[in-house]
C-alpha cells in the first residue's frame, strides 16, 4: 500500500476535509482575536479575568468620582445661590441705609423747597413797652419749623443747622439754641419739599408767619427751585433708650 | 491527503478574511476546543493510516471532545480551579502521540518498517 492509496477513502477525505475546514477557520479566528487582545490590552487572553477585575474597579472608582463631581457641582450652585441671595440682601440693606441716612439728616441734600426769613422787629419800642414784643423767640422758630414739617417738608435747617429727630429748639438766655448751636437773627429757615405746599402752609392765614407779620416782624417766604442743606454734624446718643423686642 | 490539507488552508484563509471575532468571554474556551479539535483531526488521520477509520467515531469524537474540553474549562472557571490545564496537558500528550503514530505509519508505508511496538512512539 502506498500513502496515496491509504488516504484514498472518499468518506475519510470528506470527513477530514470538513473537520479541517472547521478547525482551520476557528484557529484563524482564534489567532486573530488573540492578537487583537494582545495589541489592545497588552495581556494574553489568560489574564483577561484580571483585566476585567481591574476594569470593574476603575469603573467603580470612576462612578464614585462622577457622583462626587455631581455633588460638588450642586454645592457650587448652592453657594452661588446663597452668595447671590446675600448680595441681594446686602443691596437691600444698603438701599435702606441710604434712605435712612437721608431721612435722619446724615447726608447733605438738595431739592426744591422754600426759604423763610424771619428777624426781630425793627420798630422802635414805645415807652414802657416790653422788649420781648419785638424779639423772635425760640417758640416762633420752632413753630415755623413745625409748620413746615407738618406741610410735608422732608428736610429742614435753621441757619444752616439741620433739624433732625433729636433736635431741640430751646431758649438760652438771649439767644436760641438749635441742636448745639446758638442762633442769631435773622433766622433763615430752609425746607425741602413740595414748594407750593410748603409756601401755602407757611403763609396760611392765622398761621405763625401771619401772626408774626401782624406784629410787624419782617417775614419773607420765597419759593426756591434748589435748596441745599448740609448734613447734621452732631451725634446721636442713646444711652437709655433700648429697642423694644419685636416679640413682646 | 491533499484535499484535507487544502480544506485546512481554506479554513485558515476564511478565518483570516472574515472579520468575525470570538467574544472575549469565550476566548479561553475556544482555545481549548481548538486543541481538542486538532487532536481529533490527527486521530482521524492516524486511524486511516491504520485502516480502522470510522466516520461515526471521528465525527462524534470531533464534536464531543471539543464541547467537553470547553465545558470542562467552563466548569473549572465556575469552581475557581484551572481544570483547563488538565485538558491542555491531556490533549497535548494525545496530539504528540498521534503525530508519532502517524509518522510511524507513514514511514512504515514508505519503507516497510516493522509494526510499532508497544510503548514506543
Amino acid at each position: 500500500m502506498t500513502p496515496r492509496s491509504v488516504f484514498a477513502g472518499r468518506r475519510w477525505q470528506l470527513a477530514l476535509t470538513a473537520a479541517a475546514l472547521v478547525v482551520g477557520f476557528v484557529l484563524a479566528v482564534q489567532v486573530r482575536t488573540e492578537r487583537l487582545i494582545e495589541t489592545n490590552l497588552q495581556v494574553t487572553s489568560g489574564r483577561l479575568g484580571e483585566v476585567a477585575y481591574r476594569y470593574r474597579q476603575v469603573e467603580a472608582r470612576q462612578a464614585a468620582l462622577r457622583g462626587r463631581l455631581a455633588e460638588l457641582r450642586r454645592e457650587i450652585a448652592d453657594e452661588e445661590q446663597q452668595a447671590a441671595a446675600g448680595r441681594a440682601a446686602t443691596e437691600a440693606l444698603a438701599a435702606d441705609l441710604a434712605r435712612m441716612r437721608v431721612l435722619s439728616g446724615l447726608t447733605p441734600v438738595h431739592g426744591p423747597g422754600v426759604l423763610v426769613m424771619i428777624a426781630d422787629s425793627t420798630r422802635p419800642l414805645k415807652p414802657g413797652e416790653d422788649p420781648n414784643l419785638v424779639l423772635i423767640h425760640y417758640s416762633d422758630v420752632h413753630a415755623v419749623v413745625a409748620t413746615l414739617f407738618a406741610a410735608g417738608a422732608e428736610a429742614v435747617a435753621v441757619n444752616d443747622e439741620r433739624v433732625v429727630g433729636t433736635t431741640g429748639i430751646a431758649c438760652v438766655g438771649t439767644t436760641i439754641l438749635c441742636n448745639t448751636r446758638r442762633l442769631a437773627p435773622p433766622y433763615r429757615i430752609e425746607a425741602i419739599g413740595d414748594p407750593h405746599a410748603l409756601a401755602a402752609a407757611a403763609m396760611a392765614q392765622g398761621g405763625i408767619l401771619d401772626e408774626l407779620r401782624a406784629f410787624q416782624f419782617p417775614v419773607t417766604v420765597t419759593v426756591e427751585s434748589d435748596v441745599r442743606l448740609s448734613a447734621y454734624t452732631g451725634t446721636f446718643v442713646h444711652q437709655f433708650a433700648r429697642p423694644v423686642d419685636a416679640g413682646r | 491527503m491533499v484535499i484535507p490539507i487544502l480544506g485546512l488552508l481554506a479554513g485558515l484563509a476564511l478565518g483570516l478574511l472574515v472579520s468575525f471575532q470570538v467574544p472575549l468571554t469565550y476566548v479561553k474556551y475556544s482555545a481549548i476546543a481548538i486543541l481538542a479539535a486538532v487532536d481529533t483531526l490527527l486521530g482521524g488521520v492516524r486511524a486511516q493510516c491504520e485502516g480502522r477509520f470510522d466516520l461515526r467515531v471521528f465525527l462524534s469524537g470531533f464534536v464531543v471532545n471539543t464541547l467537553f474540553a470547553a465545558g470542562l474549562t467552563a466548569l473549572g472557571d465556575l469552581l475557581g480551579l484551572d481544570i483547563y490545564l488538565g485538558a491542555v496537558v491531556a490533549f497535548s500528550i494525545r496530539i504528540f502521540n498521534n503525530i508519532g503514530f502517524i509518522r510511524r505509519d507513514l514511514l512504515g508505508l514508505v519503507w516497510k518498517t516493522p509494526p510499532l511496538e508497544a510503548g514506543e512512539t
Side-chain angles (χ1 to χ4, degrees):
Chain A
M1 276 187 27
T2 61
R4 192 169 292 277
S5 63
V6 166
F7 298 119
R10 279 196 78 84
R11 270 148 60 98
W12 180 85
Q13 275 191 349
L14 215 68
L16 217 72
T17 304
L21 195 77
V22 170
V23 168
F25 175 76
V26 178
L27 198 67
V29 168
Q30 179 79 17
V31 167
R32 227 161 28 77
T33 305
E34 189 69 38
R35 295 260 329 252
L36 220 64
I37 291 169
E38 277 188 35
T39 50
N40 286 341
L41 303 176
Q42 268 98 45
V43 296
T44 55
S45 62
R47 292 181 57 204
L48 272 181
E50 199 181 320
V51 172
Y53 173 71
R54 293 245 175 105
Y55 176 72
R56 275 196 298 275
Q57 270 190 328
V58 169
E59 217 173 32
R61 209 166 59 211
Q62 199 182 29
L65 286 173
R66 241 192 266 275
R68 179 92 185 103
L69 188 68
E71 200 179 303
L72 287 173
R73 287 233 174 91
R74 263 200 307 281
E75 272 176 30
I76 289 173
D78 281 357
E79 296 287 344
E80 275 176 354
Q81 223 161 27
Q82 272 175 14
R87 209 158 41 233
T90 311
E91 276 167 12
L93 274 177
D96 236 23
L97 192 63
R99 209 170 67 87
M100 291 302 171
R101 272 178 198 282
V102 171
L103 288 178
S104 61
L106 286 170
T107 49
V109 288
H110 73 103
V114 293
L115 166 65
V116 177
M117 294 288 293
I118 50 179
D120 293 335
S121 176
T122 49
R123 79 179 163 87
L125 278 173
K126 291 168 188 165
E129 198 178 16
D130 185 355
N132 277 331
L133 290 177
V134 295
L135 296 177
I136 292 290
H137 292 275
Y138 78 93
S139 53
D140 302 322
V141 175
H142 195 257
V144 174
V145 170
T147 303
L148 291 172
F149 270 127
E154 290 163 13
V156 176
V158 182
N159 282 12
D160 222 19
E161 187 66 24
R162 272 294 277 280
V163 179
V164 296
T166 51
T167 297
I169 293 173
C171 176
V172 262
T174 55
T175 55
I176 298 172
L177 193 72
C178 179
N179 288 333
T180 51
R181 181 193 280 194
R182 289 160 185 277
L183 305 179
Y187 303 101
R188 224 181 123 79
I189 303 163
E190 292 164 293
I192 293 176
D194 180 2
H196 301 290
L198 293 181
M203 295 186 291
Q205 270 201 347
I208 177 66
L209 291 180
D210 193 33
E211 196 179 325
L212 286 174
R213 200 178 280 128
F215 282 94
Q216 296 178 299
F217 285 94
V219 171
T220 59
V221 177
T222 36
V223 171
E224 301 273 333
S225 61
D226 193 45
V227 178
R228 291 188 169 271
L229 301 183
S230 49
Y232 171 64
T233 52
T235 53
F236 288 106
V237 178
H238 61 283
Q239 193 179 347
F240 301 103
R242 293 278 175 272
V244 176
D245 284 353
R248 296 197 193 154
Chain B
M1 189 63 190
V2 178
I3 300 172
I5 290 173
L6 284 178
L8 185 69
L9 291 177
L12 283 171
L14 206 66
L16 288 174
L17 288 174
V18 174
S19 66
F20 170 79
Q21 276 178 36
V22 183
L24 290 188
T25 328
Y26 301 116
V27 168
K28 205 164 151 190
Y29 310 138
S30 58
I32 298 294
I34 287 169
L35 206 62
V38 169
D39 169 58
T40 313
L41 209 60
L42 292 172
V45 175
R46 176 191 168 190
Q48 183 67 12
C49 288
E50 293 165 5
R52 52 178 182 79
F53 178 79
D54 186 330
L55 188 66
R56 282 170 302 179
V57 171
F58 177 74
L59 288 181
S60 63
F62 189 81
V63 172
V64 171
N65 279 356
T66 304
L67 291 181
F68 194 73
L72 206 64
T73 310
L75 181 70
D77 278 354
L78 284 178
L79 297 175
L81 200 64
D82 288 342
I83 293 179
Y84 74 92
L85 284 177
V88 168
V89 171
F91 284 120
S92 298
I93 290 172
R94 282 183 52 144
I95 286 171
F96 276 114
N97 266 337
N98 281 337
I99 287 176
F101 278 117
I102 291 165
R103 182 168 48 82
R104 289 265 171 183
D105 290 340
L106 289 179
L107 286 175
L109 285 173
V110 177
W111 285 294
K112 307 286 181 209
T113 47
L116 201 68
E117 283 169 32
E120 195 190 350
T121 55

